[in-house]
Amino acid sequence: MPVEVRELIIMSGDVPLAARMFSPPAGTGTAPRVVVVTGSWLTVKEQMPDLYAQRLAERGYTALTFDFAGFGASGGALRQTEIPLRKIADLTAVTRFAHSIHGGSDGVGLVSICASAQYAVHALATGNLPVASFASVAGWFHDPIAIATFYGGAEGVADRLDRATRATRTYLETGQTPTVPAYAEGDDRAGMFIEMDYYANPQRGAVPTWVNEMTEITWSHWLTFDGLAAAYAIDTPSLFVHSDDAVFPDNIKTVASRLNGPSRLEWTDGAQIDFYDQPAQVDFAVQAIDDHVATTIGARR
């Protein structure tokens, strides 16, 4: 029997979030474990989250994916704007929903790919998430020092914060939100400007539901966010799947070492975007996630 996929609306405050529930094939018997899967910044559920959700459902999990507010099919003003605190609130709402469904009462697993991993850590640090198991896949964790290395140092960061100020004034004065590409190789105004085939390739991440736009208001939130600071407050059993060629490998080790609870590193080969959809890296990550969640949310059924 195939995996069943259903469309849902989950409310985050007054904002409707477009979500999907991937249910395991019928006949698995006992209530499946429930996991929430989130992806990279500026992305939609049809990219890396749905792939991982499908693979986990094939292994007997109920997996939820969703579009964050302002992206994809979800509601929310300030479209195409990366606002970490808003995403943290959305993640909290979806995880609480996951806890309420069949199989979620024993605790929920949270699987976060790339940038959403640092949002997950902050959400977990609040103590408000009913999450019993956390897994980061190619997690992006930045602080002001690390992020500057991606954007030309202090001068590059200052320039982007100036752009954010101008974009904010435009929005307040006119209601318009000028955009730049989310991805454009060689365009330093874009959110991502180094060569990344995933976002350029319709067979990979350039899916029809993804809008290749970002408001420059984003910079004031993205560049000032500290993805490492909250790690000390977490006791949730955590897994970090990463490689030396993925982003900020030293930061992964730092976050893992700061946790109050048990943490585990699973290291393999591959570049950052390989973990989004390439078979070798996805197979490795899904196996590690399955092993981790199965031992941190009850005994394997």
Side-chain angles (χ1 to χ4, degrees):
M1 297 289 289
V3 167
E4 179 185 8
V5 183
R6 288 188 291 154
E7 306 290 331
L8 301 170
I9 295 295
I10 299 173
M11 299 304 296
S12 178
D14 294 330
V15 177
L17 303 180
R20 282 182 176 157
M21 181 185 293
F22 292 73
S23 299
T28 55
T30 56
R33 295 179 182 84
V34 179
V35 294
V36 175
V37 185
T38 57
S40 187
W41 77 319
L42 304 172
T43 60
V44 293
K45 61 185 180 299
E46 291 83 0
Q47 292 169 306
M48 61 287 286
D50 277 3
L51 173 60
Y52 276 79
Q54 172 74 28
R55 293 290 303 277
L56 289 165
E58 290 168 355
R59 288 176 174 244
Y61 292 86
T62 293
L64 289 169
T65 65
F66 66 99
D67 290 326
F68 286 99
F71 292 92
S74 288
L78 284 178
R79 308 294 301 175
Q80 302 301 127
T81 304
E82 189 79 8
I83 304 175
L85 292 183
R86 178 168 70 173
K87 287 197 164 185
I88 290 167
D90 293 345
L91 182 56
T92 302
V94 173
T95 316
R96 287 179 175 172
F97 172 84
H99 191 264
S100 74
I101 67 177
H102 183 56
S105 61
D106 289 337
V108 172
L110 177 55
V111 177
S112 297
I113 304 156
C114 194
S116 64
Q118 64 180 352
Y119 304 155
V121 163
H122 271 253
L124 288 167
T126 67
N128 294 325
L129 290 190
V131 168
S133 182
F134 169 60
S136 161
V137 178
W140 171 296
F141 291 87
H142 74 246
D143 58 13
I145 295 173
I147 199 68
T149 66
F150 261 78
Y151 298 112
E155 183 178 347
V157 169
D159 176 64
R160 286 167 175 80
L161 290 175
D162 286 344
R163 294 183 205 169
T165 296
R166 293 193 294 271
T168 300
R169 287 174 180 160
T170 297
Y171 173 72
L172 293 174
E173 292 170 2
T174 70
Q176 301 299 310
T177 51
T179 63
V180 296
Y183 169 76
E185 183 182 358
D187 181 356
D188 71 356
R189 293 187 68 86
M192 298 172 282
F193 53 86
I194 61 175
E195 192 279 324
M196 300 175 76
D197 180 67
Y198 182 83
Y199 294 103
N201 189 342
Q203 302 304 312
R204 298 185 69 187
V207 298
T209 54
W210 178 60
V211 177
N212 188 11
E213 293 180 354
M214 180 193 82
T215 72
E216 291 199 298
I217 294 171
T218 290
W219 294 124
S220 61
H221 298 274
W222 175 250
L223 294 173
T224 59
F225 186 76
D226 189 330
L228 283 70
Y232 291 110
I234 297 172
D235 57 12
T236 305
S238 299
L239 165 72
F240 298 87
V241 177
H242 215 77
S243 76
D244 287 332
D245 292 325
V247 293
F248 304 134
D250 289 342
N251 284 358
I252 292 292
K253 295 171 185 176
T254 296
V255 170
S257 70
R258 289 179 177 179
L259 301 187
N260 286 323
S263 64
R264 176 172 139 217
L265 297 173
E266 287 290 343
W267 228 248
T268 187
D269 299 321
Q272 182 72 15
I273 60 174
D274 291 338
F275 288 93
Y276 299 171
D277 66 342
Q278 294 304 288
Q281 286 72 29
V282 173
D283 288 350
F284 181 90
V286 169
Q287 182 62 59
I289 293 164
D290 190 11
D291 292 343
H292 176 66
V293 174
T295 56
T296 50
I297 303 181
R300 188 182 292 274
R301 300 181 180 93

